[in-house]
């Protein structure tokens, strides 16, 4: 079924919070409150995290995997480069000396961790992303917007909830 977007504008934060709470408590077929709702505001509201709920964070796993892979690949690349010269006389020194390699391996841990963390941040943030089909410049000034994406069957229920809570304006994406 095709998805449609709705944007509702509210003048105060309490009204927007009440809408989000009602959307959380309602069971609307074709609408998932955790995945299909975005709250936009011109200023920071510390309460947003409380009423939107905790979202899982996966960036630290990207950092761990990047650091481990960077260190492992770095050590084997350095050791492999040194082992290619095994035919040369080393004068009693080992073919792969560990203490100097640990310094370079440490640097590769950091390099791999940083690169993969940046990549993980971009993936977890959903960038690059398509812009929202609906937007109002009033959000940049003083209004709070709730943008929802739902199946066509759920649009009428969502509109009823928005109008019940006195939405200043409701924008609907044009039919496709």
């Amino acid at each position: 079924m095709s998805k449609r977007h709705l944007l509702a504008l509210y003048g105060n934060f309490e009204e927007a919070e009440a809408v989000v709470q009602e959307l959380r408590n309602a069971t609307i077929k074709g609408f998932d409150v955790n995945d299909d709702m975005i709250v936009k505001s011109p200023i920071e509201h510390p309460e947003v995290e409380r009423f939107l709920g905790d979202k899982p964070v996966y960036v630290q796993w990207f950092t761990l995997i990047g650091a481990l892979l960077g260190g492992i690949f770095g050590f084997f690349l350095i050791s492999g480069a040194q082992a290619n010269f095994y035919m040369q006389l080393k004068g009693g020194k080992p073919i792969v000396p560990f203490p100097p390699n640990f310094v370079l391996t440490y640097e590769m841990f950091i390099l791999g961790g940083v690169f993969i963390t940046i990549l993980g941040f971009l993936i977890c943030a959903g960038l690059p992303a398509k812009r929202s089909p609906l937007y109002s410049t009033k959000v940049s000034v003083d209004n709070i917007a709730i943008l929802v994406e739902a199946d066509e069957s759920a649009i009428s229920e969502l509109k009823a909830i928005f109008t019940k809570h006195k939405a200043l304006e409701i924008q609907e994406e044009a039919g496709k």
Side-chain angles (χ1 to χ4, degrees), residues 75-112:
F75 181 78
F76 284 119
L77 286 174
I78 294 162
S79 299
Q82 292 167 337
N84 281 336
F85 298 110
Y86 70 91
M87 296 298 284
Q88 295 178 355
L89 296 175
K90 295 286 188 177
K93 296 179 184 173
I95 295 174
V96 178
F98 288 113
N101 285 3
F102 287 152
V103 174
L104 295 172
T105 301
Y106 171 72
E107 296 295 332
M108 293 304 289
F109 266 113
I110 294 171
L111 187 66

Side-chain angles (χ1 to χ4, degrees), residues 4-165:
R4 303 264 312 262
H5 292 86
L6 279 177
L7 179 81
L9 295 175
Y10 291 93
N12 61 12
F13 184 73
E14 290 78 23
E15 227 19 81
E17 183 177 9
V19 170
V20 171
Q21 290 302 331
E22 185 164 344
L23 289 175
R24 279 206 176 282
N25 296 333
T27 53
I28 302 171
K29 187 176 179 188
F31 172 70
D32 181 21
V33 73
N34 294 320
D35 296 330
D36 299 334
M37 180 179 63
I38 298 172
V39 176
K40 297 181 179 188
S41 173
I43 60 171
E44 181 181 351
H45 292 282
E47 303 89 13
V48 169
E49 288 179 20
R50 179 180 50 79
F51 79 79
L52 284 180
D54 291 333
K55 303 277 184 179
V57 179
Y58 300 110
V59 175
Q60 69 268 20
W61 293 106
F62 282 94
T63 304
L64 176 66
I65 291 169
L68 291 176
L69 289 177
I72 291 168
F73 287 142
F75 181 78
F76 284 119
L77 286 174
I78 294 162
S79 299
Q82 292 167 337
N84 281 336
F85 298 110
Y86 70 91
M87 296 298 284
Q88 295 178 355
L89 296 175
K90 295 286 188 177
K93 296 179 184 173
I95 295 174
V96 178
F98 288 113
N101 285 3
F102 287 152
V103 174
L104 295 172
T105 301
Y106 171 72
E107 296 295 332
M108 293 304 289
F109 266 113
I110 294 171
L111 187 66
V114 169
F115 281 157
I116 301 300
T117 299
I118 292 170
L119 179 68
F121 169 75
L122 293 174
I123 290 170
C124 290
L127 297 174
K130 261 179 68 175
R131 296 190 109 194
S132 170
L134 298 175
Y135 184 73
S136 175
T137 55
K138 296 175 186 175
V139 175
S140 301
V141 180
D142 63 348
N143 286 345
I144 292 133
I146 298 176
L147 176 68
V148 294
E149 178 184 19
D151 290 340
E152 297 217 18
S153 60
I155 295 293
S156 60
E157 292 180 62
L158 291 168
K159 274 186 181 179
I161 291 173
F162 291 154
T163 54
K164 177 179 140 185
H165 288 281

